[in-house]
């Protein structure tokens, strides 16, 4: 299991290829890629702040819990930090399991956590200024499905 | 000296992200920060603000050894 925070753009395809390589018993790999939306020009850029050493450790703990809960073979998470332009990948999650159901569910579980509870602070830069964003009610209820 | 880190809106509000402050415990540190900037002191005590000492969340009081890192974390937004 590897968790990476990066301030550089990344290429999701290369991550999928690397994650799938050299697996003998994994029958299913599920992946999710989240992209920064332009919001029809309302959002000029997204800025994500993390606490290095704290944020990655917290995500690693939840990834480990997912491995146990869904009997995964492996997890890979890459999350952008810093300023992110519309269209760029913000987050990549890949889960490997013996069969597809566990891989799909674990990917969904990890994304619900990352979107609502992971230790990030999100700022949206708009043409008329910048504002800090809190999780939406939808993000919260999505995350509560797994409690 | 404790190394104090502010995140998110707290850093914007204070106008700084990192500062060294001489304090032997968390209460003394909070008082020193509030004496310097009363609005910030209030924000740090506000709802949903968590404190991490050397990257572990703490509730209530904490002793701060020299070189300890104290982070004030406003409500987390997710990614």
């Amino acid at each position: 299991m590897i968790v990476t925070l990066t301030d550089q753009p990344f290429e999701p395809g290369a991550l999928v290829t690397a994650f799938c390589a050299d697996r003998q018993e994994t029958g299913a790999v599920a992946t999710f890629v989240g992209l920064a939306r332009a919001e029809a020009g309302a959002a000029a850029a997204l800025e994500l702040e993390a606490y290095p050493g704290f944020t990655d450790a917290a995500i690693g703990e939840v990834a480990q819990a997912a491995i146990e809960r869904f009997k995964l073979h492996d997890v890979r998470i890459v999350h952008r930090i810093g300023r992110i332009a519309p269209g760029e990948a913000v987050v990549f999650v890949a889960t490997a399991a013996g069969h597809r159901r566990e891989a799909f569910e674990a990917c969904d579980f990890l994304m619900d956590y990352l979107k609502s509870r992971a230790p990030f602070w999100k700022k949206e830069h708009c043409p008329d200024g910048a504002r800090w964003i809190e999780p939406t009610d939808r993000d919260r209820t999505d995350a509560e499905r797994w409690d | 000296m404790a190394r104090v880190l502010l995140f998110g809106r707290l850093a914007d509000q204070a106008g700084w992200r990192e500062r060294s402050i001489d304090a032997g415990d968390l209460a003394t540190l909070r008082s020193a920060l509030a004496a310097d900037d009363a609005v910030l002191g209030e924000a740090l005590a506000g709802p949903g603000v968590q404190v991490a000492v050397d990257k572990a969340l703490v509730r209530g009081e904490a002793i701060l050894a020299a070189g300890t890192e104290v982070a004030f974390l406003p409500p987390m937004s997710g990614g």
Side-chain angles (χ1 to χ4, degrees), chain B:
Chain B
M1 297 289 271
R3 189 164 157 253
V4 181
L5 305 178
L6 303 181
F7 288 89
R9 62 172 162 81
L10 295 174
D12 277 7
Q13 190 181 330
W16 54 271
R17 314 193 82 78
E18 184 176 340
R19 185 172 281 187
S20 287
I21 290 174
D22 200 7
D25 58 57
L26 202 51
T28 307
L29 178 70
R30 284 180 182 280
S31 302
L33 289 166
D36 182 57
D37 180 343
V39 177
L40 176 66
E42 207 168 299
L44 296 180
V49 175
Q50 300 186 82
V51 180
V53 173
D54 284 338
K55 298 188 170 71
L57 290 175
V58 298
R59 284 176 195 282
E61 194 43 72
I63 300 299
L64 307 177
T68 300
E69 186 174 281
V70 180
F72 289 91
L73 313 173
M76 295 156 186
S77 69

Side-chain angles (χ1 to χ4, degrees), chain A residues 32-57:
Chain A
F32 177 87
V33 181
L35 306 177
R37 276 188 307 263
E39 306 280 10
L46 185 68
E47 186 178 341
L48 279 175
E49 186 179 14
Y51 180 9
F54 178 86
T55 300
D56 35 334

